[in-house]
Amino acid sequence: FINTAVLGLYGRAYNPDENITLFADGVQTRFDIPSGFSMINRLEYRSSVKEKVIDSANSQWTAGTNVSTETVDQLKKRGKSNKLTIGSVTGGDVIAYKNITSIDISDYTHVEWWARASFTTTAADYKLLLDDTAGSVSAIELLSFPALTADTWTFCRESLVKADEDTAIISVGIEDDAGDNDSQTLWIDDIRAVHNDEAIWTPVSNRLWHIDKNN
């Protein structure tokens, strides 16, 4: 009777809401519940989405001034990742980039990627650049990184601002807007364009997840 009453309240006493900030990677199985929820009605996973790989980060990026890059097999999310060791740089510098075969992402809505830093950053310390010019010297898209917690992989997801101009992207890069994160390390992995409105969400059986009520 209590369960029936709770289900009956859903959509009446509670305002339905959704949150897509939790991203699984096939390894992590424990997540903090996002704030602002009074109850969890269902859990779904994105079983399909229109997507296009911009760069898998499996091959070494070109380093900027006072920066070194290398691919690594250990700290990664898929395949390999690119490790950027940052020396003394100035705010606004392109610290690394990768020239790619021209791709058209004008029919996509967001870019998603994984990032990790050896230090805690604030939001927009770094920007992901998408450019129709080699070397990411005049980026069309400047997508801000969220705040990164030290030594923790963070899933980044940003809307494309000028999607109609993204018809011939030939380079992807990273800009350091802070300029004060010297002698630090940044990892980047699996950069993809996705179409938010073409995602298919599939319910996860209640038998496959539970809430840790003690925490």
Side-chain angles (χ1 to χ4, degrees), residues 68-215:
S68 63
T69 63
E70 62 178 311
T71 57
V72 293
D73 296 313
Q74 295 78 27
L75 292 176
K76 45 87 174 179
K77 279 295 180 178
R78 183 179 298 183
K80 298 180 181 180
S81 72
N82 256 258
K83 176 183 177 182
L84 284 60
T85 304
I86 306 167
S88 177
V89 298
T90 303
D93 284 356
V94 177
I95 58 174
Y97 67 89
K98 176 71 178 298
N99 292 329
I100 61 175
T101 302
S102 179
I103 60 172
D104 182 352
I105 57 171
S106 59
D107 192 32
Y108 293 81
T109 62
H110 291 73
V111 172
E112 300 175 347
W113 70 98
W114 288 95
R116 178 187 176 115
S118 61
F119 56 102
T120 297
T121 74
T122 57
D125 271 3
Y126 295 97
K127 285 186 170 65
L128 184 77
L129 311 177
L130 300 177
D131 203 342
D132 59 359
T133 304
S136 297
V137 296
S138 58
I140 299 174
E141 302 280 1
L142 295 91
L143 309 176
S144 295
F145 281 58
L148 304 177
T149 301
D151 297 319
T152 303
W153 281 104
T154 298
F155 192 85
C156 311
R157 173 182 163 90
E158 288 292 321
S159 300
L160 290 169
V161 178
K162 300 180 179 180
D164 58 318
E165 299 180 26
D166 298 335
T167 57
I169 299 299
I170 63 169
S171 70
V172 55
I174 297 177
E175 178 180 291
D176 185 338
D177 276 4
D180 58 358
N181 295 320
D182 300 348
S183 303
Q184 304 288 1
T185 307
L186 183 71
W187 290 263
I188 186 82
D189 200 4
D190 198 31
I191 306 167
R192 295 170 180 258
V194 300
H195 197 302
N196 185 67
D197 300 332
E198 297 191 26
I200 296 174
W201 296 88
T202 301
V204 177
S205 169
N206 291 339
R207 297 181 291 104
L208 300 178
W209 63 277
H210 70 278
I211 296 173
D212 181 357
K213 297 179 181 179
N214 292 329
N215 290 287

Side-chain angles (χ1 to χ4, degrees), residues 5-112:
V6 170
L7 291 174
L9 284 172
Y10 179 73
R12 295 179 174 87
Y14 294 96
N15 293 321
D17 198 5
E18 70 173 11
N19 185 293
I20 60 170
T21 60
L22 302 183
F23 294 90
D25 59 4
V27 177
Q28 183 178 354
T29 58
R30 185 182 180 91
F31 299 89
D32 292 332
I33 296 174
S35 61
F37 284 89
S38 299
M39 62 179 285
I40 296 179
N41 178 260
R42 66 181 181 272
L43 188 68
E44 300 178 340
Y45 71 97
R46 191 174 67 182
S47 55
S48 176
V49 67
K50 179 180 178 180
E51 63 179 355
K52 180 178 288 187
V53 176
I54 298 174
D55 186 60
S56 63
N58 286 339
S59 59
Q60 187 175 357
W61 284 27
T62 300
T65 303
N66 295 326
V67 178
S68 63
T69 63
E70 62 178 311
T71 57
V72 293
D73 296 313
Q74 295 78 27
L75 292 176
K76 45 87 174 179
K77 279 295 180 178
R78 183 179 298 183
K80 298 180 181 180
S81 72
N82 256 258
K83 176 183 177 182
L84 284 60
T85 304
I86 306 167
S88 177
V89 298
T90 303
D93 284 356
V94 177
I95 58 174
Y97 67 89
K98 176 71 178 298
N99 292 329
I100 61 175
T101 302
S102 179
I103 60 172
D104 182 352
I105 57 171
S106 59
D107 192 32
Y108 293 81
T109 62
H110 291 73
V111 172
E112 300 175 347

